[in-house]
Amino acid sequence: LGTLKKISKAEIKGLKHLANNNIVRVFQALGIAVQERYQYIVGPCPIHEGDRTDAFSWHLELGIYQCFTKGCHDTYGKDVFGLVRGVLKCTFLESVNFINKLFNDGNVDLSLLAAIDSTKQFVEASLAVTAPEKTFPEEVLNRLKYHNYLETRGYPRDIVERYQIGIPSDNFGLMSHRVIFPIRNIEGKLVGFSGRTLYPDWKERGIGKWHHSKGFRKEANLFNIDKAKRYIEETGSVIITEGPLDVLRFEHAGIHNSVAIFGRKLHNKQITLLMTAGAARLIVALDSDIAGQTGAEDAFNNASAFFTVNKVKLPTKDVGEMSVEDVRKVFAA
Ligand SMILES: [Zn+2]
């Protein structure tokens, strides 16, 4: 690796950008044979060098990799420097120098590149990742009061209370006359609310069945990730459901590693969250109607680069309609 050069933070950022945008060159330099696919690159893990030909995947858009046989990304770090460290078994500084030698022979001002990056998509992506999400103080929950709506639908009161679900005790704007589910990020901070209408004739009224609080980024969150995290880590598995009610059904059945994706599409940030939580296997429990199946196909093709994906055929339309006994029968692994 030669003499080590001290490289500034801004330069490191510029180098990372260069490397991410020319990642195939990095693979070549490291002697890694891979296959390029639509949004990711797959191959055997170059770090632990196992037999499995798809153990390793590099996500082109996110600029991170995952080794799902041995979790090498956890040992060395998920970004390009982590990859170099893992393959060359070197230090972080050595990995930075390796990338620097590969891309920068002194002609490129890396700090400038980091500062005036013209690739709009890159800037947007990094902003979206780093911009702090709006959080709510816990006191907001004082504005909710218990309502028996969920109990009448077979969800035990202790679960409803554990999730602090209630109806607004004062005017909540568009969230009025809805059962409100507080949503927390992976650290347990309140980041938004999802409200299910109490009107049985919501269609006739022309209102949505579900409504999210203003500014809530559903594509970057997972309902229940804060509580499910330790169970996902323990088991390596996560059950993917559509909405909060499905998660409550699993809780009722004593299954604690489920999350809801607020729809049928699994977004990249949600994939990253699941990786962070330590998921290696996704158990997909989405609606069994045709639209649900099609949605699941599209949404989980990308995920299969990062996780083992098992789709479960549900005996009813959705998990919310299943009895607790059936949920246990189908999902008890
Ligand atoms: Zn590995």
Side-chain angles (χ1 to χ4, degrees):
L1 286 157
T3 348
L4 294 186
K5 187 175 160 245
K6 203 174 172 330
I7 296 171
S8 75
K9 259 190 183 168
E11 286 176 316
I12 290 174
K13 227 176 131 189
L15 272 177
K16 191 168 172 172
H17 180 203
L18 264 180
N20 285 346
N21 284 294
N22 300 277
I23 197 69
V24 175
R25 232 176 109 192
V26 178
F27 287 124
Q28 283 165 348
L30 292 171
I32 306 173
V34 287
Q35 284 184 305
E36 198 167 343
R37 293 196 192 154
Y38 177 54
Q39 270 189 316
Y40 43 86
I41 287 175
V42 293
C45 177
I47 298 173
H48 77 268
E49 301 179 305
D51 298 330
R52 194 170 150 186
T53 56
D54 62 349
F56 170 87
S57 59
W58 174 271
H59 199 291
L60 290 164
E61 193 186 326
L62 300 175
I64 52 173
Y65 73 97
Q66 166 133 353
C67 156
F68 44 139
T69 320
K70 291 221 165 154
C72 294
H73 53 280
D74 281 335
T75 314
Y76 297 99
K78 292 178 213 183
D79 65 2
V80 66
F81 300 120
L83 175 69
V84 174
R85 284 186 61 199
V87 174
L88 301 180
K89 306 289 181 289
C90 66
T91 65
F92 175 72
L93 187 58
E94 284 170 331
S95 74
V96 172
N97 270 266
F98 176 86
I99 297 291
N100 187 41
K101 261 196 200 149
L102 185 62
F103 289 104
N104 182 25
D105 43 14
N107 297 326
V108 187
D109 186 339
L110 289 167
S111 53
L112 211 61
L113 178 64
I116 58 155
D117 174 31
S118 59
T119 314
K120 199 168 163 256
Q121 202 186 350
F122 179 77
V123 172
E124 277 168 2
S126 32
L127 281 179
V129 170
T130 51
E133 187 161 37
K134 184 187 169 193
T135 57
F136 296 85
E138 293 293 316
E139 293 84 75
V140 177
L141 297 176
N142 297 337
R143 292 174 61 191
L144 299 179
K145 60 179 186 201
Y146 182 79
H147 187 278
N148 69 357
Y149 170 80
L150 290 176
E151 249 184 302
T152 60
R153 297 185 45 159
Y155 297 91
R157 179 163 183 155
D158 66 303
I159 292 176
V160 176
E161 283 175 350
R162 196 190 311 150
Y163 283 83
Q164 297 168 289
I165 299 160
I167 63 161
S169 49
D170 53 28
N171 184 16
F172 235 74
L174 286 169
M175 296 296 261
S176 295
H177 209 68
R178 287 176 183 275
V179 183
I180 307 225
F181 297 73
I183 303 160
R184 296 175 183 276
N185 64 14
I186 196 160
E187 281 121 38
K189 298 225 171 67
L190 271 177
V191 289
F193 301 90
S194 202
R196 203 268 185 212
T197 182
L198 285 166
Y199 291 115
D201 58 343
W202 54 274
K203 267 184 201 154
E204 290 76 12
R205 287 171 182 264
I207 56 170
K209 188 172 171 187
W210 289 90
H211 184 80
H212 297 293
S213 54
K214 199 167 163 251
F216 173 63
R217 302 200 304 230
K218 65 175 187 173
E219 73 292 338
N221 281 286
L222 294 162
F223 180 76
N224 201 37
I225 189 70
D226 57 311
K227 294 183 181 65
K229 189 173 57 176
R230 51 182 275 232
Y231 300 97
I232 296 170
E233 200 169 20
E234 242 171 61
T235 59
S237 293
V238 60
I239 299 172
I240 305 291
T241 71
E242 203 166 314
L245 283 171
D246 302 325
V247 168
L248 297 197
R249 188 63 86 213
F250 280 110
E251 286 297 323
H252 190 188
I255 298 170
H256 305 299
N257 60 334
S258 76
V259 297
I261 59 177
F262 307 106
R264 286 170 178 163
K265 190 168 159 36
L266 187 64
H267 297 268
N268 282 340
K269 290 208 184 70
Q270 293 172 324
I271 290 180
T272 310
L273 266 181
L274 291 171
M275 283 176 159
T276 308
R281 184 163 77 113
L282 307 190
I283 300 158
V284 181
L286 299 183
D287 277 14
S288 59
D289 60 30
I290 291 163
Q293 291 297 349
T294 317
E297 289 299 330
D298 298 341
F300 292 94
N301 279 345
N302 278 342
S304 65
F306 297 94
F307 313 99
T308 305
V309 179
N310 300 131
K311 286 167 199 162
V312 175
K313 199 168 163 22
L314 303 176
T316 54
K317 197 183 138 292
D318 61 48
V319 176
E321 283 180 7
M322 286 170 73
S323 70
V324 166
E325 290 69 34
D326 281 345
V327 170
R328 285 198 193 111
K329 233 185 277 165
V330 176
F331 290 94

